[in-house]
Structure formats: structure tokens, C-alpha cells
């Protein structure tokens, strides 16, 4: 009698003379083969260029697919994993060090109407306060915060609270006279509800309205903060910022996305090391019955489990075993530091950030490579200030306030970043030590015979020509001559004539006022040090002439 089998919705009959049991076995093997093939095809379709169709690295390592990462996933990682938070915060926090100056006319010391209005703009946000300082304005903190949250997801928004009298955030703002408040929201709390799809519109493919969740459930779920439902907001009340822009001006690449796999690995390392220590500190036990009792020993597992639980979770440190031996398992604790260091290094490679800056342990260090890395990072931060902070955040914010009438319209305005050294006192002391050592080695090594002091100070130490001339003139001026003039020539025996010249300030001029002859050893614009060296050369030349006449 033929037997029908149903597997995955497909009907199979007992044919070919095989028994039903054999057919079942064959079908199970066939099904397993089909499933394996489907898994392989699925993996090969998601290996993203790994070049090996037999497996997918992402699947083997447990990495989620890019399309499965949504704004909530990024926000969860930002909230729960400190390294992920650092990835998002590092660029804004470093590039917003020091505040820029907003100006209309730099030559006007009293300040223009626009500059005065900008200087007091932040005072409106802090309520009734006597504090007045542009550098302490909360405006800069809000703009930096906007820069931070715009990198958690694909974008972030700054909501402007204005006294336009509309009373409805979904209405377009035409005019306003005062900025009342500011609030920032990341992508997980914001949805673009309408887009401008008119090709002839200046806002083509840009948001028209947003839906914003005002009460973040992750923060205010159990707090007395008022639970305000989401509201529709018109774009004129929003400053929209996106970082890592590739294909459009609205949605950027989240800062965590390129390094998500590395973050995933680091989470496993940090979590695994804690679990490893926990299990190693409380090792397991094998319970072995005495061989003489034979193989059929009845064990009271309930009593043993109770004793083990009391030993693990209470202060009890003994147990009673009858006819059994407890063998402790050897703990396997491995230091995860090398693997974590490699993971952090991988993050820094993608971020183009020195490891010590990322970990917050200070500047590069004493080595030439570390100094070079720090210099490159500083250059990148200066570049980001001018290519992102200014055009993408500061300018749209100021332009919107000018358009709405909150700020008076200037003839034009500029944004000037102060590129002065922003190192900490400890970092400055380290740099000073390095520079002092370099100068000391230059003097002691007699390198001035190969490179003139003015060239060393300008080309190697970074001083301007005017600064270098001033340093040299001050060092060898009669007023600054030390009690022991030979101390000015460390590392070499000074010529007695040089010492005497340093004492008296008798540095030769380029043209002798009495004879009118030009001194070939004194260059135009020569410093006192150059003149002192020229005097030595001039004296040596005269001595050589005198010796030649005697012969």
C-alpha cells in the first residue's frame, strides 16, 4: 500500500520499492541538504565582497546586517556602551574646544548693533541672571550638543522656541523678536513626516515637517517630567544637521556605523572578561563518588545543590559529602588587554584619531611619531571647525535668526576661530621641556656652525622672523650680558674677542663710520649675534694678513 508523506507542504509517495522508513530517511537527508544549500546561498549573498562564497564573516562573528541597524539601535549602544559614546563625542568635543568670535566689523572696537545683539543672545536663555560673557554663552553648548546628537543617527535637530505668537509649532514662522529656548533631539526621537518633492523648489528633497517626541521614554519614563506626546513641527523652527554626508544633504552616515563591528567585538571582550573573572573567581566542582561504591550509586542531588548554593551565595564555607570527593575545576582567566587594545586601535584608524586622544590619556607623548600624530589631529580639528562647525551649524543658526528678525541684519558677518594653543598646563610644560632640550642641544652641539640661529628659531622652532630676531637681540644685548659671558657659549671655548665684544657691546657695523669701508662679514640686517660672529671672523682675517706681511 502506497504511503504519502508530507514534509514542508510537499507530498511524497512511497515509490521505488523502498520502505516508508527508508523513504523518510532519504527525504530527511534531502531536506537537510537543501537547507544547507539555502544557508550557503544566503551567506554568499551577504558576504559583502569577502570573496569566499562558502561562508559570511558577518554571520560567523554574529554581526548584525547594516539594514537591521535603526536609530534606536544606535541610541541604545550610545546610552549603554562608553566606547560607542566616545566614538560619537570625540569629534564634536575636540573641535568645539575654544569658542569662535562672531563679528561684523573687526575694526569697530565698540561693536556694531549686530555684534551687540549676538553678544546678549545667550542671556535670553538663562533667565534673570547678571552673568554677561559671550564665552560663557549657553548658545555654544547647545550648538556643540547639536553636533553630538547629529552623529548618533543620520541627523539631529535643534528646535527654536520663538515668540512669533502662533502658539502652534506646526505653523511656519514668519517673524519673531526673541529666542525663548532651545532643545536638541536625535534621530530616534524625530521622524520626517513630509518632504518637499517639487523639483523647482529651493528646498527640493528637504523636510517640510517633522514629528518630534518631546518626552524621551528612555529618560522620563519614571520621572515627574511632563509626558508630552509627539507633535508636528514646521521646518522653519528647526535647524537640521547631518554629519558624514555622502549622497544627500539631509541624511548622513551615523558615526558608529563604520566601526559597528569593532564596537560589537569590544562589547564581547569587555563583557566576556567580566564573566570570565566571575566564573574563575568562583570555580566549578566535579563531584566524584568513591570507586569502591560501584557504578550504581544513588546521589542526593537536591541536598548537594542546596549545599553548593549556600556556599556560593552566603557566608557558609563548608559542605558535607558522604562517599564523594569534590574536585575543583582549574580557573581559566586570561588578560583581555591586548585584544581590547587592538580593538581600540581599529576604532582610531577609522576615526583618524591618536589612541591617546581617544582614550583621554593626554597628548601624543615624547616620541617624534606621537608628536606628528598630535599635529595631524590638531590640523584635522582646525579643518573641521572651518568645514563643518562653521558652515553646517553656526551659519545656518545665525542666518535663520537674521531671517526671522531675532538678530539685526548685518552688512556681512564672519566667524573667526581662535587657533591659539589650547593645551592643558601639563601638556604645555611637556612641550616647553621638549623645546628647551632642543635649544640646549643646538647650543651645546655647535650646530650653529651648520645652521644660523635665526634659521634654527624660524625653521625648526616655529618662531616668526621678527620673534627670532628679537630673541637673539635680547640674548646678546649689553643689558642682558651675564656676569660670566662665557656662559653664552656653552659647549665650546669662546674666542676672547667674542667675550670682550659681548661685555662691551662692541659689535661691528656693516659699514665702518670712520673709513667708510664695508665689512664683508656682516650681512644686511644682521643681528647682534651675527655681528659678534662677524667680529671674530674679521679679527681672524686681520691676523692672517698681519702674519702674511711678516713672512
Amino acid at each position: 500500500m502506497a504511503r504519502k508523506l508530507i514534509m514542508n507542504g510537499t507530498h511524497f509517495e512511497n515509490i521505488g520499492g523502498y520502505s516508508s522508513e527508508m523513504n523518510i530517511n532519504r527525504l530527511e537527508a534531502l531536506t537537510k541538504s537543501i537547507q544547507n544549500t539555502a544557508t550557503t546561498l544566503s551567506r554568499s549573498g551577504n558576504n559583502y565582497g569577502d570573496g569566499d562564497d562558502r561562508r559570511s564573516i558577518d554571520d560567523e562573528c554574529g554581526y548584525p546586517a547594516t539594514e537591521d541597524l535603526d536609530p534606536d539601535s544606535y541610541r541604545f549602544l550610545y546610552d549603554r556602551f562608553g566606547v560607542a559614546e566616545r566614538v560619537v563625542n570625540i569629534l564634536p568635543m575636540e573641535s568645539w574646544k575654544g569658542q569662535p568670535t562672531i563679528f561684523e566689523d573687526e575694526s569697530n572696537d565698540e561693536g556694531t548693533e549686530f555684534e551687540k545683539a549676538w553678544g546678549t543672545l545667550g542671556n535670553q536663555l538663562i533667565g534673570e541672571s547678571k552673568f554677561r560673557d559671550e564665552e560663557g554663552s549657553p548658545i555654544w553648548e547647545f550648538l556643540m550638543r547639536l553636533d553630538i546628537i547629529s552623529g548618533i543617527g543620520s541627523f539631529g535637530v535643534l528646535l527654536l522656541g520663538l515668540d512669533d505668537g502662533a502658539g502652534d509649532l506646526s505653523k511656519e514662522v514668519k517673524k519673531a523678536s526673541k529666542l525663548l529656548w532651545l532643545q536638541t533631539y536625535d534621530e530616534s526621537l524625530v521622524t520626517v513626516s513630509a518632504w518637499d518633492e517639487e523639483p523647482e523648489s529651493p528646498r527640493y528633497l528637504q523636510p517640510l515637517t517633522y514629528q518630534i517626541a518631546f518626552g524621551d521614554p528612555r529618560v522620563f519614563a519614571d520621572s515627574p517630567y511632563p509626558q508630552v506626546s509627539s507633535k508636528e513641527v514646521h521646518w522653519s523652527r528647526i535647524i537640521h544637521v547631518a554629519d558624514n554626508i555622502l549622497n544627500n544633504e539631509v541624511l548622513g552616515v551615523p558615526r558608529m556605523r563604520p566601526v559597528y563591528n569593532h564596537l560589537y567585538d569590544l562589547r564581547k571582550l569587555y563583557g566576556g572578561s567580566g564573566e570570565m573573572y566571575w566564573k574563575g573567581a568562583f570555580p566549578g566542582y566535579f563531584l566524584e563518588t568513591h570507586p569502591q561504591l560501584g557504578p550504581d550509586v544513588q546521589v542526593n542531588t537536591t541536598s548537594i545543590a542546596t549545599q553548593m548554593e549556600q556556599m556560593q551565595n552566603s557566608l557558609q564555607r563548608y559542605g558535607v559529602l558522604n562517599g564523594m570527593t569534590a574536585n575543583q575545576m582549574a580557573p581559566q582567566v586570561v588578560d583581555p588587554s591586548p585584544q581590547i587594545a587592538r580593538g581600540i586601535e581599529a576604532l582610531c584608524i577609522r576615526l583618524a584619531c591618536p589612541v591617546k586622544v581617544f582614550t583621554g590619556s593626554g597628548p601624543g607623548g615624547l616620541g617624534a611619531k606621537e608628536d606628528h600624530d598630535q599635529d595631524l589631529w590638531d590640523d584635522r580639528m582646525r579643518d573641521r571647525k572651518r568645514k563643518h562647525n562653521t558652515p553646517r551649524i553656526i551659519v545656518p543658526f545665525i542666518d535663520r535668526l537674521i531671517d526671522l528678525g531675532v538678530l539685526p541684519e548685518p552688512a556681512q558677518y564672519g566667524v573667526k576661530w581662535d587657533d591659539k594653543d589650547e593645551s592643558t598646563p601639563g601638556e604645555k610644560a611637556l612641550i616647553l621641556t621638549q623645546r628647551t632640550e632642543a635649544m640646549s642641544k643646538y647650543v651645546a652641539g655647535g650646530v650653529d656652525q651648520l645652521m644660523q640661529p635665526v634659521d634654527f628659531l624660524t625653521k625648526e622652532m616655529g618662531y616668526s622672523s621678527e620673534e627670532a630676531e628679537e630673541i637673539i637681540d635680547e640674548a646678546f644685548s649689553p643689558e642682558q650680558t651675564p656676569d660670566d659671558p662665557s656662559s653664552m657659549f656653552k659647549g665650546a671655548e669662546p674666542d676672547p674677542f667674542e667675550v670682550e665684544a659681548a661685555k662691551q657691546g662692541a659689535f661691528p657695523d656693516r659699514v665702518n663710520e670712520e673709513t667708510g669701508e664695508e665689512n664683508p662679514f656682516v650681512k644686511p640686517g644682521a643681528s647682534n649675534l651675527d655681528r659678534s660672529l662677524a667680529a671674530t671672523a674679521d679679527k681672524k682675517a686681520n691676523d692672517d694678513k698681519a702674519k702674511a706681511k711678516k713672512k
Side-chain angles (χ1 to χ4, degrees):
M1 178 177 176
R3 181 181 178 185
K4 290 185 177 181
L5 304 175
I6 300 178
M7 185 171 292
N8 293 333
T10 304
H11 294 260
F12 297 92
E13 293 189 2
N14 183 5
I15 57 177
Y18 295 100
S19 65
S20 299
E21 183 177 354
M22 293 181 65
N23 273 328
I24 291 175
N25 293 336
R26 292 180 63 195
L27 290 173
E28 287 178 346
L30 177 61
T31 301
K32 186 175 182 180
S33 175
I34 294 173
Q35 290 174 343
N36 290 338
T37 303
T39 301
T40 301
L41 291 175
S42 174
R43 289 176 173 176
S44 64
N46 291 299
N47 61 11
Y48 297 104
D50 293 338
D52 189 349
D53 293 340
R54 297 172 299 175
R55 65 174 184 169
S56 166
I57 293 180
D58 286 351
D59 289 342
E60 297 293 339
C61 295
Y63 301 143
T66 302
E67 55 269 20
D68 293 336
L69 299 176
D70 56 19
D72 289 327
S73 301
Y74 292 120
R75 180 58 191 266
F76 171 81
L77 199 59
Y78 179 83
D79 289 339
R80 296 292 301 272
F81 189 37
V83 180
E85 181 189 28
R86 184 63 171 168
V87 168
V88 174
N89 292 0
I90 180 71
L91 291 177
M93 292 182 68
E94 291 289 320
S95 64
W96 285 93
K97 281 184 177 179
Q99 296 173 357
T101 301
I102 308 300
F103 65 91
E104 180 182 3
D105 184 0
E106 288 188 287
S107 62
N108 189 339
D109 295 334
E110 295 183 359
T112 65
E113 181 183 358
F114 168 77
E115 292 170 348
K116 292 178 181 178
W118 170 260
T120 59
L121 182 66
N123 299 335
Q124 305 172 23
L125 303 177
I126 57 178
E128 298 296 330
S129 174
K130 301 298 183 181
F131 179 77
R132 297 292 183 268
D133 187 356
E134 182 183 349
E135 291 189 0
S137 171
I139 296 292
W140 300 120
E141 192 273 335
F142 275 105
L143 295 184
M144 184 185 74
R145 199 193 310 173
L146 174 61
D147 193 2
I148 290 175
I149 59 103
S150 67
I152 298 177
S154 300
F155 66 89
V157 299
L158 177 67
L159 177 59
L160 310 179
L162 303 163
D163 64 340
D164 59 314
D168 187 351
L169 297 178
S170 64
K171 302 296 184 182
E172 180 179 3
V173 183
K174 298 294 184 179
K175 284 295 178 181
S177 60
K178 189 176 182 180
L179 181 65
L180 302 176
W181 46 263
L182 295 171
Q183 292 184 9
T184 56
Y185 299 94
D186 68 277
E187 188 188 7
S188 67
L189 299 173
V190 182
T191 303
V192 178
S193 53
W195 298 82
D196 190 335
E197 300 181 10
E198 293 296 331
E200 296 182 0
S201 171
R203 292 187 56 81
Y204 178 56
L205 294 182
Q206 293 190 42
L208 290 177
T209 57
Y210 299 81
Q211 198 74 22
I212 299 180
F214 285 86
D216 187 348
R218 292 165 298 215
V219 179
F220 303 116
D222 299 321
S223 74
Y225 190 85
Q227 299 298 310
V228 182
S229 59
S230 62
K231 289 187 177 182
E232 189 175 86
V233 181
H234 193 269
W235 70 265
S236 59
R237 303 175 184 273
I238 293 290
I239 303 298
H240 183 114
V241 174
D243 196 8
N244 298 328
I245 295 172
L246 293 178
N247 298 323
N248 60 66
E249 298 296 310
V250 179
L251 302 176
V253 177
R255 294 183 190 132
M256 285 182 279
R257 181 185 293 175
V259 295
Y260 195 93
N261 291 353
H262 300 311
L263 292 173
Y264 195 87
D265 290 339
L266 285 170
R267 286 192 71 198
K268 290 188 288 186
L269 286 169
Y270 281 113
S273 62
E275 187 72 9
M276 174 176 56
Y277 175 79
W278 177 261
K279 291 185 176 180
F282 297 95
Y285 293 90
F286 282 116
L287 301 180
E288 181 181 3
T289 60
H290 198 282
Q292 295 181 352
L293 298 178
D296 300 325
V297 179
Q298 291 185 354
V299 178
N300 189 343
T301 56
T302 302
S303 174
I304 294 176
T306 300
Q307 292 189 66
M308 289 296 179
E309 184 175 350
Q310 291 175 347
M311 291 179 63
Q312 293 284 350
N313 301 322
S314 70
L315 297 179
Q316 179 176 316
R317 285 295 172 263
Y318 66 89
V320 179
L321 299 175
N322 294 322
M324 304 183 70
T325 302
N327 299 315
Q328 179 177 313
M329 298 171 58
Q332 298 290 330
V333 179
V334 180
D335 181 11
S337 299
Q339 288 74 24
I340 291 176
R342 297 290 79 78
I344 296 294
E345 184 179 352
L347 293 178
C348 293
I349 290 173
R350 173 59 183 81
L351 298 174
C353 173
V355 174
K356 289 192 174 183
V357 173
F358 183 84
T359 57
S361 57
L366 295 175
K369 180 182 181 301
E370 288 81 0
D371 288 342
H372 179 65
D373 291 344
Q374 185 68 38
D375 290 341
L376 291 177
W377 175 254
D378 292 340
D379 289 341
R380 187 184 178 197
M381 290 303 98
R382 283 189 286 268
D383 192 58
R384 190 177 193 272
K385 290 177 181 179
R386 289 162 177 79
K387 294 182 179 179
H388 181 77
N389 295 11
T390 296
R392 297 283 179 184
I393 301 177
I394 298 176
V395 170
F397 176 71
I398 295 178
D399 286 351
R400 183 70 57 80
L401 297 182
I402 293 174
D403 292 340
L404 297 178
V406 176
L407 290 176
E409 184 172 356
Q412 61 180 15
Y413 72 90
V415 180
K416 182 179 180 181
W417 290 89
D418 188 359
D419 289 330
K420 67 181 180 181
D421 185 12
E422 297 169 354
S423 303
T424 64
E427 294 169 357
K428 290 179 180 178
L430 179 62
I431 295 172
L432 180 60
T433 300
Q434 295 173 337
R435 294 172 67 87
T436 303
E437 289 179 355
M439 291 182 180
S440 177
K441 290 180 180 178
Y442 169 79
V443 175
V447 186
D448 56 322
Q449 301 296 323
L450 179 64
M451 175 183 288
Q452 291 296 320
V454 67
D455 292 332
F456 173 75
L457 291 174
T458 55
K459 296 179 180 179
E460 301 300 329
M461 302 303 295
Y463 290 103
S464 65
S465 299
E466 293 76 12
E467 292 172 334
E469 292 289 351
E470 183 179 352
I471 291 173
I472 294 173
D473 288 344
E474 288 292 329
F476 292 95
S477 65
E479 294 80 3
Q480 299 296 328
T481 302
D483 295 336
D484 180 12
S486 62
S487 64
M488 294 163 47
F489 308 96
K490 292 181 180 179
E493 285 295 326
D495 187 283
F497 183 83
E498 288 183 319
V499 177
E500 189 62 25
K503 284 181 178 180
Q504 318 243 345
F507 301 104
D509 295 323
R510 177 169 173 75
V511 179
N512 191 311
E513 294 181 356
E514 295 180 1
T515 64
E517 295 180 356
E518 186 175 294
N519 190 329
F521 298 102
V522 180
K523 299 179 181 179
S527 64
N528 287 342
L529 176 60
D530 289 332
R531 292 181 181 185
S532 176
L533 297 175
T536 302
D538 191 24
K539 179 178 180 299
K540 186 176 184 303
N542 291 333
D543 291 343
D544 291 341
K545 288 180 182 179
K547 291 179 182 179
K549 287 181 180 180
K550 289 181 180 181
K551 291 182 179 179

